[in-house]
Amino acid sequence: MDISTFKPAFVYTIYIASTPEKIWQALTSAEFSRQYFSGFAVELEEKVGGTFRVLMPDGSLHISGDVIVCDPPRKLVITWDVNWPGLIEALGSTLVTYDIEPSGETVKLTLTQSHDRELSDDILSGGRAGWPAILSSLKSLLETGNVPAIQMEPPLKLLAALKEMGIKVPGM
């Protein structure tokens, strides 16, 4: 995949009192991700060209992708394709980059979500709301051992925009 055509849609940075190795493990292991990602399990084949998957709490496939860059514990770049019929054809693949850098007594974790085409703010609203909640939960888990209950509303603008494009959202 030629990632040179992808442009960042947004960048989210958070500082976590942890180590790069623990953050890497949290981002790439089903055991950790189930705790901070609302029961979703991340599975990763840790090599360039490997598979990336996110399983729903019931074990069904929700997101699939490929590992583009794998440099533990510093950088992970993956395609992040939600498995809804017609979605990838309409919106293209999403590229998610995690940059993990020591920063004093903390680790700077930067997530960049990129796309190979312009997408509306309504389409991007789901990630813009979801990523801060997911990464804040990850931060709390690593720093305190607990995950706060974050009240999230469904991404109504995103869902309406997808419906307008003729994309059927499972369960709706």
PDB file of all heavy atoms in Angstrom, residues 1-11 91 93-97 111-119 124 128:
ATOM      1  N   MET A   1       0.847  -1.180   0.000  1.00  0.00           N
ATOM      2  CA  MET A   1       0.000   0.000   0.000  1.00  0.00           C
ATOM      3  C   MET A   1       0.889   1.238   0.000  1.00  0.00           C
ATOM      4  O   MET A   1       1.822   1.345   0.779  1.00  0.00           O
ATOM      5  CB  MET A   1      -0.894  -0.010   1.239  1.00  0.00           C
ATOM      6  CG  MET A   1      -1.594   1.311   1.468  1.00  0.00           C
ATOM      7  SD  MET A   1      -2.637   1.345   2.931  1.00  0.00           S
ATOM      8  CE  MET A   1      -4.122   0.666   2.244  1.00  0.00           C
ATOM      9  N   ASP A   2       0.579   2.157  -0.891  1.00  0.00           N
ATOM     10  CA  ASP A   2       1.316   3.415  -0.977  1.00  0.00           C
ATOM     11  C   ASP A   2       0.701   4.402   0.012  1.00  0.00           C
ATOM     12  O   ASP A   2      -0.378   4.946  -0.246  1.00  0.00           O
ATOM     13  CB  ASP A   2       1.261   3.958  -2.404  1.00  0.00           C
ATOM     14  CG  ASP A   2       1.966   5.290  -2.550  1.00  0.00           C
ATOM     15  OD1 ASP A   2       2.729   5.675  -1.630  1.00  0.00           O
ATOM     16  OD2 ASP A   2       1.758   5.958  -3.580  1.00  0.00           O
ATOM     17  N   ILE A   3       1.363   4.624   1.134  1.00  0.00           N
ATOM     18  CA  ILE A   3       0.798   5.516   2.149  1.00  0.00           C
ATOM     19  C   ILE A   3       1.166   6.986   1.905  1.00  0.00           C
ATOM     20  O   ILE A   3       0.729   7.855   2.650  1.00  0.00           O
ATOM     21  CB  ILE A   3       1.182   5.079   3.571  1.00  0.00           C
ATOM     22  CG1 ILE A   3       2.691   5.145   3.793  1.00  0.00           C
ATOM     23  CG2 ILE A   3       0.655   3.692   3.875  1.00  0.00           C
ATOM     24  CD1 ILE A   3       3.105   4.912   5.236  1.00  0.00           C
ATOM     25  N   SER A   4       1.916   7.259   0.856  1.00  0.00           N
ATOM     26  CA  SER A   4       2.326   8.644   0.593  1.00  0.00           C
ATOM     27  C   SER A   4       1.141   9.535   0.222  1.00  0.00           C
ATOM     28  O   SER A   4       1.227  10.753   0.335  1.00  0.00           O
ATOM     29  CB  SER A   4       3.383   8.677  -0.510  1.00  0.00           C
ATOM     30  OG  SER A   4       2.828   8.275  -1.744  1.00  0.00           O
ATOM     31  N   THR A   5       0.033   8.945  -0.204  1.00  0.00           N
ATOM     32  CA  THR A   5      -1.143   9.740  -0.581  1.00  0.00           C
ATOM     33  C   THR A   5      -2.046  10.053   0.610  1.00  0.00           C
ATOM     34  O   THR A   5      -2.987  10.823   0.480  1.00  0.00           O
ATOM     35  CB  THR A   5      -1.968   9.002  -1.656  1.00  0.00           C
ATOM     36  OG1 THR A   5      -2.412   7.756  -1.112  1.00  0.00           O
ATOM     37  CG2 THR A   5      -1.150   8.762  -2.912  1.00  0.00           C
ATOM     38  N   PHE A   6      -1.756   9.452   1.762  1.00  0.00           N
ATOM     39  CA  PHE A   6      -2.601   9.662   2.938  1.00  0.00           C
ATOM     40  C   PHE A   6      -2.224  10.958   3.633  1.00  0.00           C
ATOM     41  O   PHE A   6      -1.054  11.257   3.819  1.00  0.00           O
ATOM     42  CB  PHE A   6      -2.460   8.488   3.914  1.00  0.00           C
ATOM     43  CG  PHE A   6      -3.210   7.263   3.491  1.00  0.00           C
ATOM     44  CD1 PHE A   6      -2.770   6.490   2.431  1.00  0.00           C
ATOM     45  CD2 PHE A   6      -4.369   6.892   4.144  1.00  0.00           C
ATOM     46  CE1 PHE A   6      -3.450   5.360   2.033  1.00  0.00           C
ATOM     47  CE2 PHE A   6      -5.069   5.762   3.758  1.00  0.00           C
ATOM     48  CZ  PHE A   6      -4.604   4.990   2.699  1.00  0.00           C
ATOM     49  N   LYS A   7      -3.255  11.715   4.034  1.00  0.00           N
ATOM     50  CA  LYS A   7      -3.040  12.973   4.745  1.00  0.00           C
ATOM     51  C   LYS A   7      -3.750  12.898   6.100  1.00  0.00           C
ATOM     52  O   LYS A   7      -4.856  12.371   6.202  1.00  0.00           O
ATOM     53  CB  LYS A   7      -3.599  14.128   3.927  1.00  0.00           C
ATOM     54  CG  LYS A   7      -2.847  14.325   2.622  1.00  0.00           C
ATOM     55  CD  LYS A   7      -3.309  15.581   1.912  1.00  0.00           C
ATOM     56  CE  LYS A   7      -2.546  15.869   0.647  1.00  0.00           C
ATOM     57  NZ  LYS A   7      -1.994  14.802  -0.097  1.00  0.00           N
ATOM     58  N   PRO A   8      -3.106  13.426   7.148  1.00  0.00           N
ATOM     59  CA  PRO A   8      -3.726  13.368   8.474  1.00  0.00           C
ATOM     60  C   PRO A   8      -5.069  14.096   8.515  1.00  0.00           C
ATOM     61  O   PRO A   8      -5.199  15.216   8.023  1.00  0.00           O
ATOM     62  CB  PRO A   8      -2.716  14.076   9.374  1.00  0.00           C
ATOM     63  CG  PRO A   8      -1.421  13.974   8.647  1.00  0.00           C
ATOM     64  CD  PRO A   8      -1.776  14.016   7.187  1.00  0.00           C
ATOM     65  N   ALA A   9      -6.061  13.422   9.087  1.00  0.00           N
ATOM     66  CA  ALA A   9      -7.363  14.038   9.321  1.00  0.00           C
ATOM     67  C   ALA A   9      -7.381  14.667  10.714  1.00  0.00           C
ATOM     68  O   ALA A   9      -8.007  15.685  10.932  1.00  0.00           O
ATOM     69  CB  ALA A   9      -8.474  13.008   9.192  1.00  0.00           C
ATOM     70  N   PHE A  10      -6.710  14.015  11.649  1.00  0.00           N
ATOM     71  CA  PHE A  10      -6.506  14.601  12.967  1.00  0.00           C
ATOM     72  C   PHE A  10      -5.387  13.881  13.696  1.00  0.00           C
ATOM     73  O   PHE A  10      -5.027  12.750  13.355  1.00  0.00           O
ATOM     74  CB  PHE A  10      -7.785  14.647  13.810  1.00  0.00           C
ATOM     75  CG  PHE A  10      -8.392  13.313  14.123  1.00  0.00           C
ATOM     76  CD1 PHE A  10      -8.008  12.593  15.228  1.00  0.00           C
ATOM     77  CD2 PHE A  10      -9.384  12.795  13.314  1.00  0.00           C
ATOM     78  CE1 PHE A  10      -8.575  11.372  15.522  1.00  0.00           C
ATOM     79  CE2 PHE A  10      -9.961  11.576  13.596  1.00  0.00           C
ATOM     80  CZ  PHE A  10      -9.559  10.863  14.701  1.00  0.00           C
ATOM     81  N   VAL A  11      -4.851  14.586  14.678  1.00  0.00           N
ATOM     82  CA  VAL A  11      -3.751  14.080  15.492  1.00  0.00           C
ATOM     83  C   VAL A  11      -4.168  14.262  16.947  1.00  0.00           C
ATOM     84  O   VAL A  11      -4.675  15.322  17.332  1.00  0.00           O
ATOM     85  CB  VAL A  11      -2.444  14.861  15.215  1.00  0.00           C
ATOM     86  CG1 VAL A  11      -1.318  14.381  16.120  1.00  0.00           C
ATOM     87  CG2 VAL A  11      -2.049  14.740  13.749  1.00  0.00           C
ATOM     88  N   LEU A  91     -15.369   5.102   1.504  1.00  0.00           N
ATOM     89  CA  LEU A  91     -14.503   6.033   2.243  1.00  0.00           C
ATOM     90  C   LEU A  91     -13.016   5.752   2.093  1.00  0.00           C
ATOM     91  O   LEU A  91     -12.194   6.567   2.503  1.00  0.00           O
ATOM     92  CB  LEU A  91     -14.859   5.998   3.733  1.00  0.00           C
ATOM     93  CG  LEU A  91     -16.303   6.318   4.102  1.00  0.00           C
ATOM     94  CD1 LEU A  91     -16.485   6.232   5.605  1.00  0.00           C
ATOM     95  CD2 LEU A  91     -16.727   7.666   3.569  1.00  0.00           C
ATOM     96  N   SER A  93      -9.525   3.246   2.817  1.00  0.00           N
ATOM     97  CA  SER A  93      -8.926   2.752   4.049  1.00  0.00           C
ATOM     98  C   SER A  93      -8.561   3.905   4.969  1.00  0.00           C
ATOM     99  O   SER A  93      -8.313   5.021   4.513  1.00  0.00           O
ATOM    100  CB  SER A  93      -7.648   1.964   3.739  1.00  0.00           C
ATOM    101  OG  SER A  93      -7.962   0.697   3.245  1.00  0.00           O
ATOM    102  N   THR A  94      -8.528   3.606   6.249  1.00  0.00           N
ATOM    103  CA  THR A  94      -8.032   4.542   7.251  1.00  0.00           C
ATOM    104  C   THR A  94      -6.649   4.063   7.659  1.00  0.00           C
ATOM    105  O   THR A  94      -6.427   2.871   7.836  1.00  0.00           O
ATOM    106  CB  THR A  94      -8.968   4.565   8.476  1.00  0.00           C
ATOM    107  OG1 THR A  94     -10.261   4.996   8.055  1.00  0.00           O
ATOM    108  CG2 THR A  94      -8.444   5.482   9.558  1.00  0.00           C
ATOM    109  N   LEU A  95      -5.739   4.996   7.798  1.00  0.00           N
ATOM    110  CA  LEU A  95      -4.390   4.686   8.257  1.00  0.00           C
ATOM    111  C   LEU A  95      -4.249   5.244   9.669  1.00  0.00           C
ATOM    112  O   LEU A  95      -4.497   6.434   9.901  1.00  0.00           O
ATOM    113  CB  LEU A  95      -3.367   5.329   7.326  1.00  0.00           C
ATOM    114  CG  LEU A  95      -1.928   4.876   7.447  1.00  0.00           C
ATOM    115  CD1 LEU A  95      -1.790   3.420   6.998  1.00  0.00           C
ATOM    116  CD2 LEU A  95      -1.026   5.763   6.604  1.00  0.00           C
ATOM    117  N   VAL A  96      -3.897   4.386  10.627  1.00  0.00           N
ATOM    118  CA  VAL A  96      -3.709   4.813  12.008  1.00  0.00           C
ATOM    119  C   VAL A  96      -2.239   4.629  12.362  1.00  0.00           C
ATOM    120  O   VAL A  96      -1.675   3.552  12.168  1.00  0.00           O
ATOM    121  CB  VAL A  96      -4.609   4.009  12.974  1.00  0.00           C
ATOM    122  CG1 VAL A  96      -4.284   4.342  14.424  1.00  0.00           C
ATOM    123  CG2 VAL A  96      -6.081   4.287  12.682  1.00  0.00           C
ATOM    124  N   THR A  97      -1.641   5.701  12.865  1.00  0.00           N
ATOM    125  CA  THR A  97      -0.236   5.684  13.263  1.00  0.00           C
ATOM    126  C   THR A  97      -0.144   5.977  14.750  1.00  0.00           C
ATOM    127  O   THR A  97      -0.725   6.949  15.233  1.00  0.00           O
ATOM    128  CB  THR A  97       0.567   6.747  12.479  1.00  0.00           C
ATOM    129  OG1 THR A  97       0.453   6.479  11.085  1.00  0.00           O
ATOM    130  CG2 THR A  97       2.029   6.759  12.892  1.00  0.00           C
ATOM    131  N   LEU A 111      -1.399   9.645  18.319  1.00  0.00           N
ATOM    132  CA  LEU A 111      -2.188   8.896  17.356  1.00  0.00           C
ATOM    133  C   LEU A 111      -2.520   9.830  16.204  1.00  0.00           C
ATOM    134  O   LEU A 111      -2.984  10.941  16.423  1.00  0.00           O
ATOM    135  CB  LEU A 111      -3.483   8.394  17.992  1.00  0.00           C
ATOM    136  CG  LEU A 111      -4.416   7.684  17.026  1.00  0.00           C
ATOM    137  CD1 LEU A 111      -5.009   6.452  17.666  1.00  0.00           C
ATOM    138  CD2 LEU A 111      -5.510   8.586  16.507  1.00  0.00           C
ATOM    139  N   THR A 112      -2.268   9.366  14.983  1.00  0.00           N
ATOM    140  CA  THR A 112      -2.629  10.135  13.791  1.00  0.00           C
ATOM    141  C   THR A 112      -3.555   9.272  12.947  1.00  0.00           C
ATOM    142  O   THR A 112      -3.228   8.125  12.641  1.00  0.00           O
ATOM    143  CB  THR A 112      -1.375  10.499  12.975  1.00  0.00           C
ATOM    144  OG1 THR A 112      -0.457  11.196  13.820  1.00  0.00           O
ATOM    145  CG2 THR A 112      -1.730  11.373  11.782  1.00  0.00           C
ATOM    146  N   GLN A 113      -4.708   9.815  12.604  1.00  0.00           N
ATOM    147  CA  GLN A 113      -5.637   9.134  11.709  1.00  0.00           C
ATOM    148  C   GLN A 113      -5.561   9.838  10.362  1.00  0.00           C
ATOM    149  O   GLN A 113      -5.765  11.042  10.274  1.00  0.00           O
ATOM    150  CB  GLN A 113      -7.062   9.178  12.250  1.00  0.00           C
ATOM    151  CG  GLN A 113      -8.054   8.477  11.344  1.00  0.00           C
ATOM    152  CD  GLN A 113      -9.454   8.441  11.923  1.00  0.00           C
ATOM    153  OE1 GLN A 113      -9.643   8.147  13.093  1.00  0.00           O
ATOM    154  NE2 GLN A 113     -10.435   8.744  11.092  1.00  0.00           N
ATOM    155  N   SER A 114      -5.241   9.066   9.317  1.00  0.00           N
ATOM    156  CA  SER A 114      -5.038   9.634   7.980  1.00  0.00           C
ATOM    157  C   SER A 114      -5.927   8.942   6.955  1.00  0.00           C
ATOM    158  O   SER A 114      -6.316   7.779   7.133  1.00  0.00           O
ATOM    159  CB  SER A 114      -3.568   9.469   7.557  1.00  0.00           C
ATOM    160  OG  SER A 114      -2.702  10.049   8.498  1.00  0.00           O
ATOM    161  N   HIS A 115      -6.180   9.677   5.871  1.00  0.00           N
ATOM    162  CA  HIS A 115      -7.014   9.154   4.784  1.00  0.00           C
ATOM    163  C   HIS A 115      -6.414   9.556   3.441  1.00  0.00           C
ATOM    164  O   HIS A 115      -5.697  10.560   3.353  1.00  0.00           O
ATOM    165  CB  HIS A 115      -8.431   9.705   4.904  1.00  0.00           C
ATOM    166  CG  HIS A 115      -9.078   9.334   6.205  1.00  0.00           C
ATOM    167  ND1 HIS A 115      -9.744   8.151   6.399  1.00  0.00           N
ATOM    168  CD2 HIS A 115      -9.127   9.977   7.399  1.00  0.00           C
ATOM    169  CE1 HIS A 115     -10.178   8.085   7.635  1.00  0.00           C
ATOM    170  NE2 HIS A 115      -9.809   9.179   8.268  1.00  0.00           N
ATOM    171  N   ASP A 116      -6.749   8.802   2.411  1.00  0.00           N
ATOM    172  CA  ASP A 116      -6.232   9.104   1.075  1.00  0.00           C
ATOM    173  C   ASP A 116      -7.176  10.005   0.285  1.00  0.00           C
ATOM    174  O   ASP A 116      -6.970  10.229  -0.900  1.00  0.00           O
ATOM    175  CB  ASP A 116      -5.933   7.823   0.293  1.00  0.00           C
ATOM    176  CG  ASP A 116      -7.176   7.015  -0.038  1.00  0.00           C
ATOM    177  OD1 ASP A 116      -8.280   7.351   0.456  1.00  0.00           O
ATOM    178  OD2 ASP A 116      -7.039   6.029  -0.795  1.00  0.00           O
ATOM    179  N   ARG A 117      -8.206  10.523   0.929  1.00  0.00           N
ATOM    180  CA  ARG A 117      -9.170  11.419   0.283  1.00  0.00           C
ATOM    181  C   ARG A 117      -9.766  12.345   1.339  1.00  0.00           C
ATOM    182  O   ARG A 117      -9.678  12.062   2.532  1.00  0.00           O
ATOM    183  CB  ARG A 117     -10.278  10.622  -0.402  1.00  0.00           C
ATOM    184  CG  ARG A 117     -11.057   9.758   0.579  1.00  0.00           C
ATOM    185  CD  ARG A 117     -11.873   8.688  -0.076  1.00  0.00           C
ATOM    186  NE  ARG A 117     -10.957   7.650  -0.498  1.00  0.00           N
ATOM    187  CZ  ARG A 117     -11.283   6.600  -1.222  1.00  0.00           C
ATOM    188  NH1 ARG A 117     -12.511   6.430  -1.603  1.00  0.00           N
ATOM    189  NH2 ARG A 117     -10.396   5.703  -1.571  1.00  0.00           N
ATOM    190  N   GLU A 118     -10.368  13.412   0.882  1.00  0.00           N
ATOM    191  CA  GLU A 118     -11.044  14.337   1.799  1.00  0.00           C
ATOM    192  C   GLU A 118     -12.320  13.681   2.307  1.00  0.00           C
ATOM    193  O   GLU A 118     -13.076  13.104   1.528  1.00  0.00           O
ATOM    194  CB  GLU A 118     -11.392  15.650   1.083  1.00  0.00           C
ATOM    195  CG  GLU A 118     -10.195  16.499   0.710  1.00  0.00           C
ATOM    196  CD  GLU A 118      -9.471  17.061   1.921  1.00  0.00           C
ATOM    197  OE1 GLU A 118     -10.145  17.485   2.884  1.00  0.00           O
ATOM    198  OE2 GLU A 118      -8.226  17.060   1.898  1.00  0.00           O
ATOM    199  N   LEU A 119     -12.555  13.783   3.604  1.00  0.00           N
ATOM    200  CA  LEU A 119     -13.775  13.275   4.208  1.00  0.00           C
ATOM    201  C   LEU A 119     -14.439  14.408   4.975  1.00  0.00           C
ATOM    202  O   LEU A 119     -13.760  15.278   5.528  1.00  0.00           O
ATOM    203  CB  LEU A 119     -13.472  12.108   5.144  1.00  0.00           C
ATOM    204  CG  LEU A 119     -12.858  10.864   4.503  1.00  0.00           C
ATOM    205  CD1 LEU A 119     -12.506   9.831   5.576  1.00  0.00           C
ATOM    206  CD2 LEU A 119     -13.790  10.264   3.475  1.00  0.00           C
ATOM    207  N   LEU A 124     -15.780  12.210   9.935  1.00  0.00           N
ATOM    208  CA  LEU A 124     -14.652  12.176  10.871  1.00  0.00           C
ATOM    209  C   LEU A 124     -15.066  12.320  12.333  1.00  0.00           C
ATOM    210  O   LEU A 124     -14.263  12.054  13.231  1.00  0.00           O
ATOM    211  CB  LEU A 124     -13.640  13.265  10.513  1.00  0.00           C
ATOM    212  CG  LEU A 124     -12.958  13.102   9.149  1.00  0.00           C
ATOM    213  CD1 LEU A 124     -12.127  14.342   8.822  1.00  0.00           C
ATOM    214  CD2 LEU A 124     -12.115  11.841   9.110  1.00  0.00           C
ATOM    215  N   ARG A 128     -13.067  11.432  15.994  1.00  0.00           N
ATOM    216  CA  ARG A 128     -12.697  12.592  16.811  1.00  0.00           C
ATOM    217  C   ARG A 128     -13.268  12.503  18.215  1.00  0.00           C
ATOM    218  O   ARG A 128     -12.677  13.020  19.165  1.00  0.00           O
ATOM    219  CB  ARG A 128     -13.130  13.877  16.124  1.00  0.00           C
ATOM    220  CG  ARG A 128     -12.281  14.202  14.928  1.00  0.00           C
ATOM    221  CD  ARG A 128     -12.691  15.489  14.252  1.00  0.00           C
ATOM    222  NE  ARG A 128     -11.760  15.791  13.174  1.00  0.00           N
ATOM    223  CZ  ARG A 128     -12.070  16.512  12.116  1.00  0.00           C
ATOM    224  NH1 ARG A 128     -13.276  17.027  11.983  1.00  0.00           N
ATOM    225  NH2 ARG A 128     -11.162  16.738  11.179  1.00  0.00           N
TER     226      ARG A 128
END
